[in-house]
Amino acid sequence: MNGRIAVVGAGMAAARFAQQYQELGGTGEVTLYGAEPRAPYNRVLLADVLTGRYDPEAIALPAGAALLRTGAEVVELDLAARTLRLSGGERAEYDELVLATGANPVLPPIRGLRAPGGGLIAGVHALRTLADCRGLAEAAAGAARAVVIGGGVLGVSAARALAALGLPVEIVHQGPHLIERQLDAQAGAALRSALAGLGVEVYLSNRARALRGGDRVDGVELANGYPLATDLVVLACGVRPRTGLAHTAGLLVRTGVVVDDRLAASHPGVYAIGDCTEHRGTVHGLSGPAWEQADVLAARLSGAEPDREYTGSRPLARLSAGTLEYAAFGEVDDETHRAGPGHHVLRLVDATRGSYKKLVLRDGRLVGGILLGDLATVGALTRAYERDEPLPEDPLHLLTTRGAR
């Protein structure tokens, strides 16, 4: 395809699409429109930028030969005319449109969260962009204590980073254990112990009801009335697909922008990839599926594989942060299928080293797994999971270092 391809968004999915499009021989003119003033970067590593492990430039992502328009927010789409309008009033034409608008942080319904002007009160931060990261680092330098609201992947990463900067940190999490969407209770407990060793305290099955302090936060009040003194709050309550532009343009939107196996939206010549996308009722919100979608669409639009389809992902969730490293995939809750005759669970726990390993097997195939504290065999495990092939009679080797060789 030799036309003009407009990509709305300049994040991880957009950069991956542009890079793969060029590598696959695409000859069209690709333009990335990014609202942020920076070139594409790896959001997964923001917590490591916060600690100083990486400079912002070190997490930059290549975007092939695409024309990159930074600070160019798209505010309107005219699908019939195949034009888009930027916030400054400029209009641009396109032949094919790719929506890679990503997601916005979820702001929880907490009293006292917003200032009179509508923004967050002083001392309260989200962590989604490099600008957020810079603001949080500056605030952390002068803070005495921090509270992270949310104990998912981002919350744990942020808490670990703030603890590495020398702050006492507390996590407030509504769930029964940390990262409950990807870890089971035993792994969540092991992760909590590892955090405690870093000086991070965790309040489970709790929610923040209100922020105290007026114009500047000086405390968090829990639902049970218990107060936490703090002068720094990080909101890590998940993300929501950014679909306003698509919805206003008349595209089919449910939780995300609805696409089929071609990654095509509900109007000809329009596609969607990444965190804004809903495929077969699923919004993944992870970098792995976003890149898989980008690869498929690049193969289609470049002409390299015009009939290639995206049928879904078997994503791997992973955090590598020193002693807090973990990987999880598939079905990790063995309680759900315990009654099945072909269902088996294999665990290895090393309390001394703080490691926890678990395989969930069904009919001789690997359907889920968790590695916490030791990722030496993650490669062998993920290959077995992705191939969905029968395992050897003794799958124990998949949990030992020998299985990674």
Side-chain angles (χ1 to χ4, degrees), residues 10-37:
M12 296 177 67
R16 177 76 173 199
F17 167 79
Q19 178 74 6
Q20 292 297 105
Y21 180 85
Q22 179 191 15
E23 290 188 1
L24 292 171
T27 57
E29 179 185 276
V30 179
T31 304
L32 271 55
Y33 296 90
E36 292 186 55

Side-chain angles (χ1 to χ4, degrees), residues 81-349:
R82 298 205 174 198
T83 63
L84 55 82
R85 182 169 64 87
L86 303 180
S87 57
E90 176 188 350
R91 289 188 178 273
E93 298 179 342
Y94 63 82
D95 298 301
E96 304 289 332
L97 179 69
V98 179
L99 298 178
T101 49
N104 289 319
V106 172
L107 301 183
I110 301 174
R111 291 200 311 271
L113 182 66
R114 296 187 180 276
L120 300 176
I121 66 170
V124 179
H125 298 259
L127 183 55
R128 181 68 180 172
T129 68
L130 271 171
D132 294 337
C133 192
R134 182 174 60 252
L136 182 55
E138 292 172 355
R145 301 186 63 84
V147 170
V148 176
I149 299 176
V153 177
L154 179 60
V156 169
S157 298
R160 186 270 309 175
L162 292 170
L165 294 175
L167 285 177
V169 184
E170 295 165 303
I171 295 177
V172 178
H173 186 51
Q174 284 188 325
H177 61 267
L178 294 168
I179 316 183
E180 73 275 9
R181 292 184 180 181
Q182 297 161 3
L183 302 181
D184 63 7
Q186 197 167 351
L191 180 59
R192 185 181 185 182
S193 296
L195 283 167
L198 301 177
V200 178
E201 188 170 356
V202 178
Y203 299 87
L204 297 173
S205 300
N206 257 298
R207 67 177 181 86
R209 179 169 64 186
L211 300 184
R212 298 180 174 182
D215 294 338
R216 172 172 288 278
V217 68
D218 64 15
V220 175
E221 180 183 320
L222 302 186
N224 60 8
Y226 187 78
L228 302 176
T230 186
D231 52 0
L232 178 62
V233 172
V234 178
L235 303 176
C237 304
V239 296
R240 182 176 292 115
R242 189 180 290 123
T243 59
L245 197 62
H247 185 271
T248 302
L251 292 171
L252 178 60
V253 173
R254 296 193 182 106
T255 302
V257 180
V258 177
V259 299
D260 59 19
D261 288 0
R262 299 170 300 149
L263 295 166
S266 58
H267 190 280
V270 181
Y271 307 87
I273 55 176
D275 289 356
C276 70
T277 302
E278 179 177 335
H279 173 263
R280 297 189 183 184
T282 298
V283 177
H284 286 290
L286 294 169
S287 59
W291 282 1
E292 290 174 15
Q293 292 170 1
D295 290 352
V296 170
L297 188 59
R300 292 184 63 87
L301 298 190
S302 68
E305 296 180 72
D307 297 324
R308 186 172 171 184
E309 294 187 339
Y310 174 76
T311 57
S313 294
R314 305 186 67 159
L316 168 72
R318 183 166 179 171
L319 173 68
S320 295
T323 57
L324 297 186
E325 62 179 2
Y326 82 87
F329 55 88
E331 301 173 16
V332 298
D333 182 7
D334 52 290
E335 300 292 332
T336 304
H337 302 282
R338 177 173 287 182
H343 183 80
H344 303 281
V345 177
L346 179 64
R347 288 186 178 88
L348 288 179
V349 182

